[in-house]
Amino acid sequence: MRIQNNARSFLSAAALAVLVGCATTEEPKPAPAPAPAPAPATPAPAAAPAPVVKPAPVPPKPMALRVTSVELFEFDKSRLTQVATDKLDREVVVRLGEFQVIRQINVNGHADRLGSAQYNQKLSERRAEAVKAYLARQGAPADKIETYGFGKTLQVKSCPDQKDRKALIECLQPNRRVEVEVLGTARP
């Protein structure tokens, strides 16, 4: 019995020692959780590009085309000849393409000094209207064309009176003219 008691005491002491040992022994700490993986790098929004400062547009240049066409009309006539239309094509119509914007076209008709002031005034107006109609048929903006008649007021050539009327008429030819002035802005 004594052995039994000793064995019981030993077992009790061992059990107590195991219990005490367990109480003082720390349980192993769990391994630390792995650090979360870094979030995939999202590209930062691109910085807005610096505004591009465009140079101020260069305003179109004002442009004036002045053409004085002589030899457009026969004496005492307001009908354009073939030579006259060819000349207008070369000197005016072709040059209209140089304009980006046409603001105004002035057509000024003139007559020589032969005849009355009233008659020459009407003749110069008819000449200006004939040129306007021709330019409009060739594509010029008719609503921008203004006509003026100056009669015999602005002579560019003076000729002495002669007994030979035909020679006088020939001498005064430069006065039977039309002046065309186109105002607008030039193409860039």
Side-chain angles (χ1 to χ4, degrees), residues 4-186:
Q4 261 186 355
N5 271 344
N6 277 341
R8 266 193 217 162
S9 289
F10 179 74
L11 280 176
S12 295
L16 183 61
V18 168
L19 278 176
V20 170
C22 284
T24 58
T25 319
E26 294 184 15
E27 291 186 23
K29 292 182 181 177
T42 56
V52 176
V53 178
K54 295 181 181 177
V58 177
K61 293 180 189 177
M63 182 175 165
L65 167 67
R66 288 179 185 87
V67 177
T68 299
S69 294
V70 295
E71 302 171 6
L72 295 183
F73 303 98
E74 295 173 359
F75 177 71
D76 198 25
K77 304 279 188 226
S78 61
R79 187 179 65 78
L80 290 166
T81 64
Q82 182 62 46
V83 171
T85 58
D86 291 345
K87 191 168 193 167
L88 286 171
D89 287 342
R90 272 191 326 274
E91 296 177 358
V92 179
V93 175
V94 169
R95 306 249 348 247
L96 292 177
E98 297 175 17
F99 289 85
Q100 180 176 359
V101 174
I102 294 176
R103 278 189 243 131
Q104 184 175 7
I105 301 173
N106 294 321
V107 179
N108 304 321
H110 300 273
D112 63 30
R113 65 179 172 84
L114 301 176
S116 71
Q118 185 178 10
Y119 179 80
N120 280 325
Q121 178 62 38
K122 295 288 185 192
L123 179 60
S124 66
E125 291 171 6
R126 288 194 313 267
R127 287 176 174 168
E129 286 294 326
V131 171
K132 173 184 179 177
Y134 181 76
L135 293 177
R137 284 193 306 273
Q138 300 308 309
D143 62 327
K144 305 279 183 179
I145 303 173
E146 295 183 20
T147 59
Y148 303 95
F150 288 89
K152 60 181 182 177
T153 61
L154 299 171
Q155 301 293 290
V156 292
K157 184 168 185 185
S158 61
C159 301
D161 284 333
Q162 302 176 16
K163 292 205 184 247
D164 184 0
R165 186 163 168 85
K166 186 175 179 182
L168 180 59
I169 290 170
E170 184 67 32
C171 180
L172 293 172
Q173 172 63 42
N175 296 319
R176 296 187 292 275
R177 69 194 187 281
V178 169
E179 296 168 343
V180 178
E181 179 182 47
V182 182
L183 302 171
T185 52

